[in-house]
Amino acid sequence: MLRLGEKITIVADAFEQNLPIGQYGYIIAYDRNPDNAFDYVIRIPSLNRNFFVPADDVELESIVLKQEAERVEREALIDFALSTYNEKLFRQVMNGELESVEEEEETKEAMSQADFIKQVNLRAWI
């Protein structure tokens, strides 16, 4: 449940109330009536109006911004992979395997340092 006064973004319009999808607003009240389908009363400053909305129609602004940033990052990686003809990167981004690749690179770096120290010790011994 979202707190009062939190900044939200409208992501849907389930009851076709002509909500301005994509605009921000603030939660000003809870609708505690169990017979009602609405969960919140929100205030849209740009329209100077209040709306009753279900919980599925609104999302925290920070979450929406994070999702948008991830989408833009993914699109940029796809564009980069296509422009550099990097088929491996393209397949990883399209299959959603990008996180596991980053973890593997981190472990390879740790192993490469240990290998480097072994090589230095081997050469120093000779």
Side-chain angles (χ1 to χ4, degrees):
M1 180 169 261
L2 303 174
R3 295 181 309 169
L4 291 177
E6 284 192 296
K7 191 171 185 179
I8 52 98
T9 302
I10 299 170
V11 294
D13 190 5
F15 292 107
E16 298 179 2
Q17 306 176 63
N18 293 326
L19 293 175
I21 295 175
Q23 288 195 9
Y24 75 95
Y26 297 95
I27 295 179
I28 60 171
Y30 299 118
D31 191 358
R32 299 197 186 266
N33 185 358
D35 297 331
N36 201 344
F38 303 111
D39 297 315
Y40 302 111
V41 178
I42 61 170
R43 173 87 176 153
I44 309 293
S46 62
L47 298 178
N48 201 21
R49 287 189 57 196
N50 298 339
F51 292 97
F52 287 91
V53 295
D56 295 337
D57 283 358
V58 294
E59 189 69 52
L60 280 175
E61 186 182 41
S62 59
I63 294 174
V64 172
L65 290 175
K66 182 180 176 184
Q67 290 171 347
E68 185 66 19
E70 289 172 355
R71 185 188 64 80
V72 168
E73 179 184 9
R74 185 171 185 264
E75 288 177 1
L77 281 173
I78 290 171
D79 288 343
F80 176 76
L82 289 173
S83 66
T84 59
Y85 302 104
N86 190 343
E87 184 178 349
K88 182 180 177 184
L89 176 64
F90 179 76
R91 291 191 187 279
Q92 289 171 348
V93 172
M94 294 305 289
N95 293 333
E97 300 170 359
L98 193 58
E99 293 82 19
S100 62
V101 172
E102 291 173 357
E103 292 171 3
E104 290 175 8
E105 288 177 359
E106 290 175 6
T107 57
K108 286 181 183 177
E109 289 176 8
M111 293 299 289
S112 65
Q113 288 177 349
D115 291 338
F116 177 74
I117 292 172
K118 285 181 184 179
Q119 291 293 328
V120 169
N121 289 338
L122 257 170
R123 291 182 187 203
W125 184 71
I126 295 176

